[in-house]
Amino acid sequence: MRSRLEFRELVIDVNERRTYKAGKEVELTHTEFDLLTFLASNAGKVLSREKILNSIWGYEYPIETRVIDVHIRNLRRKIESQPSRPYYILAVPGIGYRFTNADRFCFCDRCRSGFAADRGIELATLRETRRGSRHRPGAVQPIKPGRE
């Protein structure tokens, strides 16, 4: 595992057990840090609640898988700009969670401004996407000519 994981404005220093959001340190509990590191080190992969549970708490730890949801909610409050519309930790209904893949960017209306700001690009120069499209990191949905 790498000693430093970087995703947009989120930096996880595994060796020092520190997390930074937009350059400011984020206070995480021991379990939150382990959970975040596990998810981030598996970025882009769908992880079941059971796999997360076994990796963070161990096989013999008698715990409900819904406790993971509570920790995820707490993590989102601390690392997400909009916890109700997460960018980093995404739910996969019926399975578990997926941490965003840092190499992929979404061009939906919600993400375009962040993408452009990160690169100093004017929004008008970005390729238009279908209005009202659902947020899907990495999904590019161009508008057909003559349709808006």
Side-chain angles (χ1 to χ4, degrees), residues 7-26:
F7 302 88
R8 228 185 218 182
E9 61 182 26
L10 184 69
V11 177
I12 305 164
D13 190 324
V14 179
N15 291 338
E16 293 186 16
R17 294 189 62 87
R18 292 181 166 190
T19 304
Y20 302 90
K21 178 186 171 191
K24 295 182 182 179
E25 189 167 359
V26 178

Side-chain angles (χ1 to χ4, degrees), residues 64-126:
E64 282 292 318
T65 58
R66 292 295 174 187
V67 77
I68 295 167
D69 300 338
V70 173
H71 285 285
I72 294 289
R73 186 173 56 242
N74 291 336
L75 263 176
R76 283 178 173 162
R77 287 182 188 146
K78 294 177 180 182
I79 68 167
E80 299 282 0
S81 296
Q82 294 179 310
S84 62
R85 297 177 70 184
Y87 171 78
Y88 296 110
I89 302 173
L90 306 172
V92 180
I95 301 173
Y97 293 94
R98 176 174 57 87
F99 197 87
T100 190
N101 187 340
D103 297 332
R104 300 175 74 191
F105 291 93
C106 180
F107 287 89
C108 72
D109 292 336
R110 175 179 153 215
C111 295
R112 279 192 307 173
S113 59
F115 177 86
D118 288 349
R119 287 159 183 73
I121 303 169
E122 291 293 322
L123 275 177
T125 63
L126 288 178

